[in-house]
Every structure is written in C-alpha cells, then in structure tokens.
Amino acid sequence: MHDALVYLNGEFQSLSEARIPVLDRGFIFGDGIYEVIPVYGRNMFRAKQHMARLFRSLDAIGIPNPHSEETWMTLIQKVMDAHPSDDQMVYLQVTRGVAKRAHAFPKEVTPTVFIMTNPLVLPSAQVRADGVACVTMEDRRWLHCEIKSISLLGNVLAAQHAAESGVTESIQFRDGWLTEGSSSNVWVVKNGVIMGPPKDHLILEGIRYGLLQELCEQHGIPFESRKITKEEVFAADELMISSATKEILPVVRLDAQTIGNGAPGPIYQQLYAAYQAAKHA
Ligand code: PDD
C-alpha cells in the first residue's frame, strides 16, 4: 500500500507514522463523526454538500467545529495533492479528543482531526452490467442513523452478514419498513417512479440522495421520498444502492428472489449516465 501523506492534528505525516493516544474518545467510546468524499480527476465531487453534512454531524454530537470550511478545504487539498491517484476517496474523521475515561463530555478537550485519502476503486463495468445480489436483514442499529457517526458496529455486522452470504450489501428493514444498506442508500423503482425512504433519523442522508433527486428532476423521472414496505422492495421493477464509493449500482437479486427481470433496468441506465455526466461536468 502507498504510504500516503495524512493530516493529523495540525501535522502532515505519512500514514505509517501517524499515531493517536489510546485515551482518544474515538478509540474508547466511538465518540466521533466522519465523512467520505469521492474525488474525480483531483476534484472533490459535491464538496459543499459533504462539508455541510460534516458540520451537521459535528453539531449533532456537540463537537465544536475545529476549522472553517475554507481551512477544511485547504487541508484536504494538501492531502489530495500528495496522492498519486487522480481518483480518490477522502476519509476524514473528528473525535471529541483525548481525555480520562468518563462517559459524559470532558470539560476541556481538543478534538482529534484526521484526514487521509485512498485510491477510489469503483465497481467494475462487468459488475455494473450484471448487477449485484443483496440480502435482507432486520435493522438493529441505534435511532440516530442520520448522524455520520464512527460508532459503526451495527453497520459492520450488517456488512459482515452480506460478506458471509457472498453478496454485495445487506438491505435493512425496521419493523417491515425499508431503511438502508450497511453503507449505502437504497432505491426502489416501480412503474417509472423512483422512491427512497424519508430523510429522517432512521437513515443517513447520503450525498447521493440529493444528487439523485436533482438528476431525476433534470431527466423528468418522478421521484418520491416515502416509507417503503418489504413487499414493495421485493415487487420492485428495479432496485439500486448508492454511495460515494459505489456511485449507483443495480441490485438484481435479493435473498433468493430475482428483482424485476433480473437485469439492470432502464431507470438505472439513465441515472448512471446522468451521474457520469454530473461528475465530469
Ligand atoms: N458510507 N448510508 C450509510 C449507512 C452509509 O454509510 C453511506 C455511505 C450512505 C451513502 O452516503 P453517501 O452517498 O454520502 O456516500 C448511506 C460511506 C461511503 C462509508 O462509510 O464508507
């Protein structure tokens, strides 16, 4: 692995040398938040929206924002510039900082800020052409899924369930209602309408949520945010997942059942093309 330049608490250093104290509340409590920003041709895609979500996450858990938006962008840019790949995925994380172990917020503490970048590895053309398989599972995570928290044990277990099932993603349901994947949003197409679950505390509002909504508006595809049942998911004409690192992927198998006609559908093809146009614009 390339020993990339990273940013940690005011210093640029190589990934292999970066260290944090064991009493960091990110390590002890999972007390922090993160972002994943895709980079195409050395340009961050939807940077403004990712910054806005970063600031919302910090606000939601009461960590003072350590930097202005301008400073954030400068720090990220420096890490990006040092990386050999043109297409990258920037990962940044802020924890509440280092303090004696006690659950409630420490009084005086400085947030830990970490930025790294990796090559962006997108699904291959073959995977996009074939579509992917997913499994369903009950969503047993906490009830603040709108926060991009580093406490990801529920998501880790969901991803492991998919891995052990030999599929790409777990699609989660809470009391029979669709929520999201372990690290992706889920989209259902029925009779030409694309539907996603409401933007509430039960899902993370992916940056691709707003993007898909915009792309649908531009291309005259009806778009609805509403509660979706498990039956509706299985009866979908098309099913898709979206994330920074997957872009949009067609799901053609769910548990033992074929979705639609078992091949990526026309709405997927249209949205994928629109996505490619948007990222190169
Ligand atoms: N995950 N829902 C969850 C639980 C996620 O973790 C993600 C992204 C998304 C999609 O959000 P976006 O469109 O902003 O990528 C939805 C990132 C990629 C990750 O944890 O690596």
Side-chain angles (χ1 to χ4, degrees):
M1 195 170 83
H2 170 72
D3 195 13
L5 188 79
V6 302
Y7 172 86
L8 179 63
N9 294 334
E11 283 181 42
F12 292 92
Q13 54 194 299
S14 61
L15 179 62
S16 62
E17 282 168 358
R19 297 280 181 276
I20 56 154
V22 290
L23 284 182
D24 192 283
R25 288 178 62 99
F27 180 59
I28 297 288
F29 292 119
D31 183 2
I33 55 87
Y34 75 109
E35 266 302 321
V36 175
I37 312 171
V39 173
Y40 299 108
R42 301 197 167 273
N43 289 308
M44 279 181 263
F45 185 51
R46 308 287 282 192
K48 277 236 157 296
Q49 290 85 347
H50 280 281
M51 283 294 122
R53 187 172 66 184
L54 169 67
F55 296 175
R56 286 203 303 277
S57 299
L58 287 168
D59 251 16
I61 67 165
I63 293 181
N65 189 348
H67 300 301
S68 67
E69 184 168 335
E70 203 188 338
T71 305
W72 273 113
M73 297 301 270
T74 308
L75 296 174
I76 297 169
Q77 191 68 47
K78 227 169 147 176
V79 173
M80 264 166 51
D81 288 348
H83 199 279
S85 309
D86 288 341
D87 294 349
Q88 305 174 18
M89 59 157 274
V90 170
Y91 176 88
L92 61 90
Q93 171 171 326
V94 184
T95 76
R96 201 174 305 279
V98 179
K100 179 171 165 287
R101 184 181 180 277
H103 289 64
F105 300 174
K107 287 235 155 35
E108 271 166 38
V109 66
T110 308
T112 298
V113 178
F114 175 60
I115 307 172
M116 69 172 169
T117 188
N118 284 295
L120 178 65
V121 182
L122 295 171
S124 69
Q126 190 63 55
V127 166
R128 282 188 280 105
D130 293 346
V132 300
C134 293
V135 284
T136 60
M137 67 181 284
E138 183 64 20
D139 192 338
R140 298 195 186 280
R141 299 172 302 159
W142 73 330
L143 294 172
H144 269 304
C145 300
E146 82 283 11
I147 303 171
K148 203 160 172 63
S149 161
I150 60 166
S151 302
L152 286 172
L153 189 52
N155 305 60
V156 165
L157 295 178
Q160 183 60 19
H161 177 57
E164 286 172 7
S165 308
V167 301
T168 299
E169 179 63 301
S170 284
I171 295 186
Q172 301 175 99
F173 295 84
R174 206 184 275 277
D175 305 323
W177 300 100
L178 173 63
T179 57
E180 62 182 342
S182 72
S183 59
S184 58
N185 289 119
V186 180
W187 306 97
V188 170
V189 177
K190 190 71 186 175
N191 299 326
V193 180
I194 180 161
M195 292 168 279
K199 293 184 277 185
D200 58 17
H201 61 289
L202 299 178
I203 66 164
L204 181 78
E205 182 188 338
I207 299 309
R208 269 125 290 280
Y209 198 116
L211 174 63
L212 289 196
Q213 201 164 1
E214 278 175 34
L215 297 177
C216 284
E217 268 161 35
Q218 285 166 21
H219 291 82
I221 303 168
F223 181 100
E224 270 180 36
S225 288
R226 69 157 171 88
K227 286 171 81 83
I228 299 163
T229 65
K230 200 172 203 170
E231 292 69 36
E232 287 180 296
V233 172
F234 277 103
D237 296 332
E238 298 181 40
L239 190 59
M240 296 173 233
I241 54 178
S242 69
S243 80
T245 49
K246 292 189 178 78
E247 299 187 333
I248 325 174
L249 262 188
V251 178
V252 296
R253 243 190 128 63
L254 187 58
D255 295 338
Q257 207 177 300
T258 300
I259 298 296
N261 65 3
I267 302 271
Y268 162 73
Q269 308 286 4
Q270 207 180 347
L271 283 175
Y272 180 77
Y275 193 109
Q276 300 312 302
K279 79 187 201 192
H280 292 122

